[in-house]
Amino acid sequence: MSSKISPLLEPYLALPLEASLILLTSVLGASTNWLVLRFLHSALLSGDASLVDGDAEKVVLVIDQLDLLMATAGDQVGVMDVTDLLMGLREDVRSVIITLSADYPLLSTQQTPLETNHAAFLLNVAHQADLTLSLRLLDSGTARDVSGVVRITTRDQEMHDSGLARKIEERELLYFVGGDGGVRVFERGQ
């Protein structure tokens, strides 16, 4: 698997700002796994982070599919329970990267408690997120050289950390996940 980070993604994969929440959304067929690995790779390469098994000053917490907790626990765990859990965890770490499912059937009709809770939780996290990277399949169907689309949005155009400002450009990029796990990110028309 290639661990090379595309220059188009580098500005978004830098060590997350203090107290930031980064949301990665996926749909069936467009997994965030490769993106989470690039975040971890970028943080470890920068020297600003390391894998820890105890206390550390700059903990970046990665929570993969927290919405699964609501789906598997039934009525025992609701939106407020998971939201409170996330808020509590955010108080103890530098920043949080969270992945959630954003499949259309879970968000559109909301006829079951699971659909209602999932949509409410995703919307809540999306409103809190400083940066959102959403993965989806191509609208036009499948392509041999394109796996999907990554849409990058931000709550603020400029993110501040300790007096430093980073300009965050909202954009939409295409990506291709190769058979070896390598990922190529490119702009439309390239």
Side-chain angles (χ1 to χ4, degrees):
M1 176 174 91
S2 172
S3 58
K4 185 178 177 189
I5 297 172
S6 167
L8 294 171
L9 282 181
E10 280 179 0
Y12 309 102
L13 301 181
L15 184 67
L17 301 175
E18 188 74 35
S20 65
L21 176 63
I22 297 172
L23 172 62
L24 310 178
T25 66
S26 63
V27 297
L28 189 62
S31 170
T32 56
N33 291 349
W34 67 269
L35 198 50
V36 170
L37 289 174
R38 290 330 180 265
F39 263 106
L40 294 174
H41 181 78
S42 177
L44 293 172
L45 261 182
S46 71
D48 290 329
S50 61
L51 297 175
V52 296
D53 59 0
D55 294 335
E57 289 182 21
K58 295 182 178 180
V59 173
V60 176
L61 179 62
V62 179
I63 306 173
D64 193 17
Q65 299 302 139
L66 186 58
D67 48 349
L68 180 65
L69 181 60
M70 286 187 306
T72 58
D75 294 339
Q76 297 175 6
V77 178
V79 175
M80 292 311 297
D81 299 320
V82 181
T83 300
D84 290 346
L85 172 65
L86 180 59
M87 283 182 17
L89 291 170
R90 287 185 69 191
E91 291 176 3
D92 296 331
V93 297
R94 172 188 172 89
S95 58
V96 173
I97 299 171
I98 185 170
T99 69
L100 297 174
S101 297
D103 294 282
Y104 183 75
L106 286 171
L107 303 174
S108 62
T109 58
Q110 300 178 26
Q111 294 177 351
T112 68
L114 172 61
E115 292 167 342
T116 303
N117 287 341
H118 186 278
F121 182 62
L122 179 61
L123 189 61
N124 183 316
V125 173
H127 280 294
Q128 293 179 46
D130 298 292
L131 180 66
T132 302
L133 286 87
S134 301
L135 301 183
R136 70 174 193 273
L137 300 175
L138 288 173
D139 296 333
S140 59
T142 59
R144 197 173 52 225
D145 56 349
V146 180
S147 298
V149 179
V150 57
R151 177 152 178 73
I152 303 165
T153 57
T154 181
R155 183 172 51 178
D156 296 320
Q157 291 295 324
E158 228 172 73
M159 297 178 72
H160 299 276
D161 189 24
S162 304
L164 300 174
R166 287 197 305 207
K167 182 83 171 145
I168 302 295
E169 179 184 346
E170 294 190 353
R171 62 192 321 181
E172 202 169 85
L173 302 167
L174 301 176
Y175 69 92
F176 175 71
V177 180
D180 64 350
V183 177
R184 188 170 72 92
V185 178
F186 50 97
E187 295 183 271
R188 291 184 188 273
Q190 281 188 326

